[in-house]
């Protein structure tokens, strides 16, 4: 019933209820009959009770995981043909390799995209149905041919008897004539020498020969000839020995074209065993062969681009590696990813995105040399496998040609589209012997290429691999750091050089993780930006600081001002200004007690938007400091527009301010510029008395650094507040 009324039957194996419901609703609405299994044991029982047409299988499940479920399915004769698509939130190449080795046909990454789920489900259900239908039809056709051959052999014998008995049984002859005329398979009857006696209308339709053109001629004229000589020899030998033969053979039409067919031949003998006739039934397999060719092509190629898939790529790699070893050369694997390709789909739609991928595939095929292999790994990821010399000159040239070629604007359906790419390269045997190793290491190099600005290529090194593993470890721990209460805010005093008193502090985030230990901010803050975690971390810092300011106020320790750093990602978020205002209101502290520090790069990305955001913050009443001033590329024209209260002299200038004339000149310029704009100046990273004296004599307003105090926790900073000062006498 499911097959008659739906597009197909799908079994979804997913232990997460929300994901299970999402997939079930999506496929049910698309017209599929859906069965569900929340774990591996139930999945095996459900599949065995009635095999589905497709299984969507989650990898990570309690009890029996997806890999074990797939392995058991493929061991079952009743279930091994059912295609399996793995569902995974991981993007690990080892998982994919293991899944395909177990017999999976595809992977779908979480979070799910509805279009991807439906497209892949439709494709694999159609492919599964086509393969099953072809197998069933072939079995049915072979049975039909066999049955018809037997019938016709009997009929031929009867016809011979009828001729000899002068049409003794006219009713039987009439029936035989109807079968002979109506059947859709070609029938040829010959005499004992192989000369054609009769053919049916289906023979004319298939071969192009009319009956009068072939009667009296040898049946061998219909055979393709030399190109299928072994097949014809097997036929004649079997007829001589056994009296029948069945199999595929190549035939020739009247127009000279050859074509494949399924032939069944039997001899007809009289009661004394004398050969009377030969009856051949022939079925044209041209269309079915084309369908099978398409199936074979799809099993080795990507359906969208026609490029080789993983299976074919692995075969070509192994062949190429053998050749390279004999010739003293190397094999290079290049992993290519289109930069920000998601924006193409978002802007122009998925159909335009598919056309863009097809255009890129054609470009790559036209760019590589003969013998190189271009494959599509899914999405906008491509791989190139090539043989090169040990200096990798051809690889370098190819990478440069690809980058330059893809920068050229594509025009698809009249719409210009700009694309760039990033390429990672791994070389065998230096970076690994197996394709899996090389792909993994090329992916690592690709990650580095993207990290250095995209539209670039990078080669794999062991150091790079270690750095990326370190980043992945930090990423894994960073996601739950707030919930595990691993962050702490430290405070570094800011000292007024005129009075020698502490007038404020800078809030600095510290992270102590049980696995990684104390992680420096310069390691985890950039990764928080990259992985989209900086906004919740920044909000946590702001709330923690405001709560601490409230505690100090309630303890009567004065209205200390604390400066909080805003990252580029947090500053650019539309919710930041309302969040600052709401947090100040929630804790009931004066806005003047909160300062926000931003860097040049933060405001120079979109100066007009930055001016608007800074003015809103100023309207709230918080002060604004421009950190690391002079290290970037800010325009003085824009600086005049920014509602800034404080300029900070970067530590890189302070370190050698007393010994390096250039650093001294920069520090003096910042002080002069700030005072001319009615801004205060804070020098950070002050560590020596000489630095203090130099900057104080030249008008610097405030300082912070190890000379005064290291950043300390809230309790230690409270003690400093109670002492009223925390520095040696100025």
């Amino acid at each position: 019933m499911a097959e008659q009324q739906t597009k197909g039957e799908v079994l979804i194996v997913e232990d997460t209820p929300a994901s299970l419901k999402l997939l079930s609703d999506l496929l049910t609405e698309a017209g599929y009959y859906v069965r569900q299994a929340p774990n591996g044991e139930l999945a095996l029982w459900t599949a065995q009770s009635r095999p589905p047409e497709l299984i969507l299988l989650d990898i990570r499940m309690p009890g029996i995981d997806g890999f074990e479920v797939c392995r058991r399915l493929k061991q079952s004769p009743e279930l091994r043909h059912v295609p399996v698509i793995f569902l995974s939130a991981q993007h690990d190449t080892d998982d994919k390799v293991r899944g395909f080795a177990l017999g999976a046909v595809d992977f779908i990454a979480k979070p799910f995209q509805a279009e991807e789920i439906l497209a892949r489900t439709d494709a694999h259900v159609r492919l599964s149905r086509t393969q099953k239908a072809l197998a069933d039809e072939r079995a049915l056709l072979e049975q039909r041919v066999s049955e018809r051959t037997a019938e016709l052999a009997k009929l031929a014998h009867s016809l011979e008897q009828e001729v000899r008995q002068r049409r003794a049984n006219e009713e039987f002859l009439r029936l035989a004539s109807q079968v002979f005329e109506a059947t859709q398979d070609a029938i040829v009857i010959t005499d004992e020498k192989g000369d054609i006696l009769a053919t049916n209308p289906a023979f004319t339709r298939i071969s192009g020969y009319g009956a009068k053109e072939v009667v009296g001629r040898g049946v061998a004229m219909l055979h393709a000839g030399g190109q299928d000589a072994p097949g014809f020899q097997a036929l004649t030998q079997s007829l001589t020995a056994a009296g029948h033969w069945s199999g595929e053979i190549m035939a020739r039409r009247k127009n000279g074209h050859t074509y494949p067919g399924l032939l069944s031949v039997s001899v007809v003998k009289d009661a004394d065993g004398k050969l009377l006739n030969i009856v051949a039934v022939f079925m044209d397999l041209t269309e079915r062969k084309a369908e099978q060719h398409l199936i074979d092509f799809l099993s080795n190629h990507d359906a969208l681009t026609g490029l080789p898939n993983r299976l074919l790529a692995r075969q070509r790699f192994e062949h190429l590696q053998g050749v390279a070893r004999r010739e003293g050369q190397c094999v290079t694997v290049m992993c290519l990813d289109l930069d920000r390709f998601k924006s193409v789909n978002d802007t122009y739609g998925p159909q335009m995105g598919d056309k863009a991928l097809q255009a890129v595939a054609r470009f790559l095929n036209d760019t590589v040399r003969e013998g190189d292999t271009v494959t599509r790994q899914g999405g906008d990821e491509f791989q190139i496998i090539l043989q090169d010399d040990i200096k990798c000159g051809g690889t370098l040239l190819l990478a440069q040609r690809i980058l330059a070629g893809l920068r050229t604007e594509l025009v698809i359906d009249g719409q210009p589209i700009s694309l760039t790419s990033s390429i990672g390269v791994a070389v065998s045997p230096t970076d690994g012997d197996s394709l899996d190793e090389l792909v993994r290491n090329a992916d690592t190099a690709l990650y580095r290429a993207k990290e250095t600005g995209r539209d670039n290529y990078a080669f794999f090194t062991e150091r790079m691999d270690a750095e990326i593993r370190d980043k992945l470890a930090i990423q894994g721990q960073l996601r739950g750091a707030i919930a595990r209460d691993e962050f702490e805010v430290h405070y570094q005093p800011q000292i007024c050089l005129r009075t020698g008193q502490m007038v404020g502090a800078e809030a600095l985030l510290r992270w102590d993780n049980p696995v990684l230990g104390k992680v420096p901010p310069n390691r985890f803050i950039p990764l928080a930006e990259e992985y989209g975690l900086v906004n919740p971390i920044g909000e946590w810092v702001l709330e923690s600081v405001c709560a601490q300011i409230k505690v100090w106020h309630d303890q009567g320790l004065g209205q200390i001002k604390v400066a909080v750093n805003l990252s580029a990602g947090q500053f650019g978020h539309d919710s930041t200004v309302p969040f600052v205002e709401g947090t100040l209101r929630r804790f009931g502290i004066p806005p003047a007690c909160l300062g926000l520090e931003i860097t040049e790069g933060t405001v120079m990305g979109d100066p007009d938007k930055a001016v608007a955001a800074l003015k809103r913050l100023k309207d709230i009443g918080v002060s604004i400091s421009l950190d690391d001033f002079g290290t970037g590329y800010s325009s003085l024209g824009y600086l005049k527009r920014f509602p800034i209260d404080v300029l900070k002299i970067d530590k890189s200038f302070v370190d050698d301010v007393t010994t390096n004339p250039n650093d001294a000149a920069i520090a003096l310029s910042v002080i002069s510029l700030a005072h001319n704009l009615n801004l205060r100046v804070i020098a950070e990273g002050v560590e020596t008395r000489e630095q203090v004296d130099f900057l104080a004599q030249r008008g610097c307003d405030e300082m912070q650094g190890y000379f005064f105090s290291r950043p300390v926790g809230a309790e230690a900073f409270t003690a400093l507040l109670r002492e009223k000062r925390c520095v040696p006498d100025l």
Side-chain angles (χ1 to χ4, degrees):
M1 179 179 66
E3 291 182 354
Q4 294 174 355
Q5 299 179 1
T6 69
K7 293 170 64 177
E9 183 171 345
V10 180
L11 172 60
I12 303 175
V13 186
E14 170 63 66
D15 67 321
T16 304
S19 296
L20 185 60
K21 185 177 186 303
L22 172 67
L23 292 170
S24 297
D25 292 347
L26 178 65
L27 294 179
T28 300
E29 291 176 2
Y32 287 94
Y33 179 79
V34 176
R35 288 191 286 164
Q36 302 177 353
N39 55 58
E41 292 85 353
L42 187 56
L44 291 170
W45 182 88
T46 302
Q48 289 165 352
S49 65
R50 186 174 75 245
E53 292 179 84
L54 178 65
I55 298 176
L56 302 183
L57 178 59
D58 188 23
I59 291 180
R60 311 297 178 198
M61 296 186 296
I64 300 177
D65 64 11
F67 291 130
E68 179 60 16
V69 172
C70 185
R71 187 185 69 80
R72 295 188 187 183
L73 288 171
K74 297 307 177 182
Q75 286 181 338
S76 171
E78 295 79 16
L79 299 174
R80 65 179 54 168
H81 69 279
V82 178
V84 175
I85 299 178
F86 274 125
L87 310 174
S88 175
Q90 304 295 322
H91 300 276
D92 190 275
T93 301
D94 292 337
D95 278 356
K96 293 183 178 180
V97 170
R98 184 180 176 188
F100 286 117
L102 288 171
V105 299
D106 211 341
F107 268 80
I108 298 177
K110 300 180 182 178
F112 301 123
Q113 299 295 323
E115 295 86 354
E116 182 184 20
I117 292 290
L118 293 177
R120 294 182 185 240
T121 299
D122 288 344
H124 287 292
V125 167
R126 287 198 303 269
L127 186 58
S128 175
R129 283 189 166 184
T130 300
Q131 291 174 325
K132 185 176 184 303
L134 285 173
D136 292 343
E137 184 178 2
R138 183 184 181 94
L140 181 61
L141 290 173
E142 289 180 347
Q143 179 183 358
R144 189 177 70 186
V145 168
S146 178
E147 292 173 352
R148 290 182 178 177
T149 301
E151 292 176 1
L152 290 168
K154 182 178 179 180
L155 177 60
H157 180 68
S158 298
L159 287 173
E160 184 69 14
Q161 293 298 320
E162 288 290 336
V163 171
R164 291 182 179 181
Q165 297 176 15
R166 298 184 179 183
R167 307 176 64 89
N169 193 346
E170 293 183 0
E171 181 61 25
F172 185 80
L173 283 176
R174 186 184 63 82
L175 178 61
S177 177
Q178 289 178 343
V179 173
F180 188 76
E181 294 291 325
T183 183
Q184 296 300 303
D185 298 331
I187 301 174
V188 178
I189 302 175
T190 76
D191 60 17
E192 72 279 8
K193 296 180 294 184
D195 293 334
I196 298 174
L197 297 175
T199 63
N200 68 344
F203 168 82
T204 299
R205 175 176 53 80
I206 293 173
S207 70
Y209 286 106
K212 293 181 179 179
E213 295 178 277
V214 296
V215 170
R217 300 176 65 181
V219 72
M221 64 169 287
L222 303 175
H223 185 249
Q227 62 178 286
D228 192 28
F232 192 74
Q233 184 178 6
L235 182 156
T236 55
Q237 290 175 349
S238 180
L239 280 181
T240 302
H244 60 81
W245 183 86
S246 180
E248 291 188 14
I249 197 167
M250 293 298 295
R252 189 180 303 278
R253 304 187 203 275
K254 181 180 178 180
N255 60 14
H257 294 166
T258 58
Y259 63 106
L262 183 63
L263 177 65
S264 180
V265 186
S266 296
V267 299
V268 180
K269 298 180 180 180
D270 62 14
D272 299 327
K274 180 184 177 183
L275 177 62
L276 299 177
N277 299 100
I278 299 174
V279 179
V281 179
F282 189 79
M283 181 183 301
D284 187 353
L285 296 181
T286 303
E287 292 184 3
R288 290 171 178 80
K289 285 288 185 179
E291 292 173 355
Q292 185 61 49
H293 177 74
L294 176 60
I295 293 173
D296 292 342
F297 180 85
L298 292 176
S299 67
N300 288 284
H301 293 79
D302 173 55
L304 177 64
T305 62
L307 295 175
N309 62 11
R310 295 178 181 87
L311 179 62
L312 185 55
R314 187 176 298 277
Q315 295 172 359
R316 293 188 179 180
F317 169 81
E318 292 171 354
H319 170 74
L320 204 60
Q321 191 176 47
V323 174
R325 285 173 178 168
R326 291 192 299 271
E327 298 178 356
Q329 293 195 318
C330 63
V331 176
T332 299
V333 173
M334 305 172 67
C335 288
L336 181 148
D337 184 87
L338 299 178
D339 299 328
R340 301 183 180 89
F341 184 73
K342 183 177 182 296
S343 63
V344 175
N345 284 326
D346 293 342
T347 304
Y348 304 106
Q351 289 185 342
M352 184 69 79
D354 286 347
K355 291 182 179 180
L357 291 174
Q358 291 168 340
V360 170
R362 289 193 297 271
F363 163 74
L364 293 176
N365 255 337
D366 293 341
T367 304
V368 301
R369 304 165 304 184
E370 184 178 356
D372 298 342
T373 297
V374 181
T375 72
R376 176 170 174 254
Q377 298 302 298
D380 60 331
E381 301 174 6
F382 296 85
Q383 285 178 8
I384 302 174
I385 303 171
L386 64 149
Q387 183 179 339
D388 202 354
D389 57 41
I390 58 175
K391 294 183 179 180
C392 296
T395 302
L396 283 169
L397 179 61
L398 178 60
Q400 293 165 356
R401 290 177 63 190
I402 290 173
L403 292 176
L406 286 178
R407 291 188 198 109
T408 304
E409 197 172 65
L410 295 175
V411 179
I412 302 174
D413 293 345
Q415 177 66 53
I417 296 178
S418 297
L419 289 174
T420 61
S421 65
S422 300
I423 301 173
V425 184
V427 182
S428 174
T430 307
D431 301 328
D433 287 324
S434 70
L435 180 60
D436 296 335
E437 282 184 284
L438 292 173
V439 168
R440 182 167 58 248
N441 292 337
D443 274 334
T444 299
L446 172 62
Y447 187 95
R448 172 57 57 88
K450 284 187 173 293
E451 199 176 47
T452 55
R454 295 181 168 85
D455 192 18
N456 197 5
Y457 66 86
F459 279 74
F460 171 79
T461 66
E462 289 187 6
R463 179 181 175 186
M464 180 193 306
D465 183 55
E467 289 177 359
I468 293 203
R469 290 182 184 276
D470 181 57
K471 284 187 177 183
L472 293 176
I474 293 176
Q475 175 196 7
Q477 295 296 320
L478 193 59
R479 292 192 180 278
I482 293 178
R484 295 190 299 269
D485 197 26
E486 294 174 0
F487 287 125
E488 182 182 3
V489 178
H490 283 200
Y491 300 87
Q492 185 171 45
Q494 295 175 334
I495 309 303
C496 175
L497 294 181
R498 183 176 56 82
T499 65
Q501 297 299 309
M502 181 167 56
V503 293
E506 180 180 1
L508 299 167
L509 183 62
R510 296 293 182 263
W511 181 26
D512 191 358
N513 178 264
V515 176
L516 305 174
K518 296 183 184 299
V519 185
N522 62 356
R523 285 179 65 199
F524 72 82
I525 292 296
L527 292 180
E529 288 264 18
E530 182 177 344
Y531 300 134
L533 302 174
V534 73
N535 206 49
I537 292 175
E539 291 180 350
W540 180 89
V541 172
L542 192 62
E543 287 183 331
S544 299
V545 169
C546 289
Q548 187 60 58
I549 294 174
K550 174 65 174 174
V551 170
W552 288 330
H553 287 187
D554 293 345
Q555 292 176 349
L557 297 177
Q559 293 190 351
I560 187 74
K561 176 181 287 187
V562 180
V564 177
N565 290 281
L566 284 184
S567 68
Q570 190 178 5
F571 181 75
H573 205 284
D574 293 337
S575 65
T576 295
V577 176
F579 183 81
V580 170
E581 187 174 16
T583 303
L584 289 170
R585 187 185 307 112
R586 187 164 68 255
F587 288 100
I589 61 174
C593 291
L594 178 66
L596 297 176
E597 291 194 3
I598 56 177
T599 64
E600 290 185 50
T602 299
V603 296
M604 292 307 297
D606 187 346
D608 293 333
K609 184 178 180 180
V611 169
L614 292 173
K615 286 182 178 178
R616 291 177 62 193
L617 290 170
K618 288 288 292 182
D619 291 341
I620 295 173
V622 300
S623 64
I624 307 295
S625 300
L626 188 60
D627 199 3
D628 301 339
F629 183 73
T631 62
Y633 47 84
S634 59
S635 163
L636 295 180
Y638 278 116
L639 180 62
K640 184 175 64 175
R641 294 175 54 197
F642 294 148
I644 303 294
D645 299 292
V646 180
L647 289 183
K648 295 191 75 173
I649 303 176
D650 187 69
K651 183 180 184 301
S652 62
F653 302 129
V654 173
D655 285 343
D656 298 321
V657 72
T658 61
T659 59
N660 187 316
N662 292 329
D663 288 346
I666 291 174
L668 292 177
S669 298
V670 174
I671 294 171
S672 176
L673 175 64
H675 289 166
N676 287 335
L677 294 174
N678 295 319
L679 306 177
R680 298 197 321 278
V681 181
I682 297 179
E684 61 181 3
V686 177
E687 298 181 354
T688 68
R689 166 65 70 175
E690 290 77 15
Q691 293 170 348
V692 173
D693 293 341
F694 180 91
L695 293 169
Q697 292 168 9
R698 286 155 181 80
C700 187
D701 300 303
E702 299 172 14
M703 295 185 187
Q704 67 182 84
Y706 286 0
F707 179 78
F708 306 103
S709 172
R710 289 177 176 271
V712 296
E715 184 177 347
F717 191 82
T718 301
L720 294 178
L721 287 175
R722 294 187 188 281
E723 295 174 8
K724 302 299 183 184
R725 65 181 181 86
C726 63
V727 297
D729 292 334
L730 298 176

